[in-house]
Amino acid sequence: MKNNNILITSAGQRVALVKGFQETLKRFFPNAKVYTTDMRPKLAPAAYVSDGCFKVLRVTDSEYIPQLIQLCVDYGIKMIIPTIDTELLVLAENKTLFEEKGIKVIVSSLEFIRVCRDKRNTSEFFEKNGIRVPKAIDKNNPTFPLFAKPYDGSLSTNLHYIRNAEELTTEILEDPKLLFMEYIDKNVYKEYTVDMYYGKDNNVKCIVPRERIKIRAGEINKGLTEKEPLTQYIYDRLGTIEGCVGCICIQLFLNPKNCDVVGIEINPRFGGGYPQTYAAGGNYAELLIREYFLDETVEYFDDWKDHLLMLRYDDAVYV
């Protein structure tokens, strides 16, 4: 049956995400499938749990979009779920081409993607919505400690915690992509990812803050869902975001003593730690199916499991 199939692109290691979509989709459409794409399917663990994985070109290739559209047509795919930052702009720019074929690409507007992909724009967005960001530091007249990160970075690469003048090397100073800012002390502040779902109406439908107790390779390894104090704080400031649809995840720091909240970045896609939100009852796959396949209206809800602890471990696929 070539109807209501879903495609998760650049699936890589997102085994739990694929399984979550499969479990949810089959409750509504028992014969529907969840496919994946990857540049190297043989080396992508998620490829082996999906209902089929297709090898695709690099996202920057001029034939990537035509290839993706053809796959959707051939395999009855009606929804695309992107998972990596580099896809977002390309898919947002070509969203209309997919819509003409009856394919829903779950990506926010081009304008909002640009806000998220450039951390200078992200900081402006946070401040406009009443969320403070790390104070900017003049690299030519610095105060220590400070933090430097690229304005368009991802996967926790090219990050620098600089404690004194000796560590502020010429290479760091001359890197044109680096932003220099106040260092947020993790001994004082707790780090959170907030998984949020925005409906077709650009209104938030679910907010699940997750404390990042331990991070490994830029992704949460141990986490705890916590409703308070961030849920209401975020709802009051980001209840509506123009052009925002589907799952986004926001990175924040919170000082539990004085409730100072600092916004760091926004990823307008499913994050690597989303499976914890799914396990807690924040089933965003279901919301997507109800909105885009069943044309239902979804309402805001917060009856997910508070204080759900996630402890990740390594597993393997043997082929």
Side-chain angles (χ1 to χ4, degrees):
M1 179 178 177
K2 293 188 176 182
N3 285 317
N4 295 330
N5 296 331
I6 292 176
L7 179 68
I8 298 176
T9 58
S10 303
Q13 300 185 66
R14 293 179 183 269
V15 172
L17 180 66
V18 171
K19 286 183 175 180
F21 266 89
Q22 287 174 321
E23 292 164 3
T24 305
L25 183 61
K26 290 188 184 302
R27 280 198 286 112
F28 291 91
F29 304 100
N31 296 317
K33 299 183 183 300
V34 176
Y35 295 110
T36 54
T37 67
D38 201 90
M39 287 178 60
R40 297 192 293 174
K42 288 184 178 180
L43 298 181
Y48 295 95
V49 301
S50 69
D51 295 305
C53 185
F54 311 111
K55 183 177 180 178
V56 292
L57 300 165
R58 189 175 296 276
V59 68
T60 52
D61 193 292
S62 61
E63 291 301 310
Y64 175 74
I65 293 297
Q67 182 187 38
L68 209 57
I69 291 174
Q70 193 59 53
L71 281 172
C72 291
V73 171
D74 290 346
Y75 289 90
I77 293 163
K78 300 299 183 183
M79 182 185 293
I80 296 177
I81 308 295
T83 65
I84 62 172
D85 294 329
T86 50
E87 298 174 303
L88 301 176
L89 281 173
V90 175
L91 289 173
E93 288 170 344
N94 292 279
K95 200 171 180 177
T96 304
L97 294 177
F98 289 90
E99 289 175 350
E100 290 171 354
K101 301 286 187 181
I103 304 158
K104 324 283 189 189
V105 182
I106 309 303
V107 65
S108 295
S109 69
L110 189 57
E111 292 74 21
F112 184 63
I113 298 299
R114 285 175 175 153
V115 166
C116 303
R117 290 294 294 131
D118 188 321
K119 290 178 176 56
R120 297 166 296 188
N121 296 335
T122 306
S123 293
E124 185 179 323
F125 174 84
F126 276 136
E127 290 183 316
K128 180 182 175 182
N129 287 280
I131 301 172
R132 97 165 180 94
V133 297
K135 299 179 184 71
I137 288 180
D138 180 0
K139 66 180 181 180
N140 298 311
N141 188 27
T143 55
F144 301 98
L146 62 83
F147 192 68
K149 66 178 181 180
Y151 65 79
D152 62 348
S154 60
L155 299 176
S156 298
T157 56
N158 198 18
L159 306 181
H160 306 275
Y161 168 43
I162 302 162
R163 291 164 290 188
N164 52 55
E166 289 71 32
E167 293 181 353
L168 188 57
T169 64
T170 301
E171 182 182 11
I172 293 173
L173 281 169
E174 293 180 352
D175 188 331
K177 287 197 170 187
L178 289 180
L179 302 176
F180 295 80
M181 65 195 68
E182 162 195 7
Y183 174 67
I184 306 298
D185 189 347
K186 293 183 181 181
N187 293 315
V188 177
Y189 286 76
K190 289 183 176 182
E191 187 176 1
Y192 287 84
T193 293
V194 185
D195 287 324
M196 307 171 69
Y197 180 90
Y198 283 82
K200 289 180 180 180
D201 57 4
N202 303 149
N203 292 327
V204 71
K205 307 301 180 181
C206 187
I207 302 171
V208 182
R210 301 180 280 106
E211 182 188 353
R212 290 156 66 95
I213 296 172
K214 182 179 179 182
I215 311 300
R216 189 173 70 171
E219 196 168 284
I220 188 169
N221 183 255
K222 304 182 193 305
L224 183 72
T225 61
E226 284 190 351
K227 287 191 177 182
E228 299 302 334
L230 283 174
T231 304
Q232 191 62 46
Y233 177 93
I234 295 297
Y235 185 88
D236 291 343
R237 290 159 178 79
L238 301 176
T240 302
I241 299 178
E242 186 176 351
C244 182
V245 296
C247 181
I248 72 170
C249 55
I250 294 181
Q251 308 284 43
L252 300 169
F253 283 100
L254 167 71
N255 184 331
K257 290 186 178 179
N258 62 12
C259 290
D260 180 37
V261 177
V262 185
I264 302 298
E265 65 180 52
I266 305 172
N267 296 305
R269 54 171 173 76
F270 282 91
Y274 167 75
Q276 182 180 8
T277 289
Y278 177 81
N283 190 339
Y284 297 171
E286 178 174 330
L287 300 184
L288 288 168
I289 291 165
R290 287 171 55 196
E291 275 205 293
Y292 291 91
F293 285 170
L294 302 177
D295 203 27
E296 294 181 9
T297 299
V298 298
E299 303 297 334
Y300 179 80
F301 71 96
D302 64 358
D303 58 342
W304 42 269
K305 295 176 185 175
D306 197 11
H307 298 119
L308 178 72
L309 179 67
M310 177 180 73
L311 306 172
R312 277 179 157 175
Y313 64 95
D314 288 332
D315 202 351
V317 171
Y318 300 96
V319 183

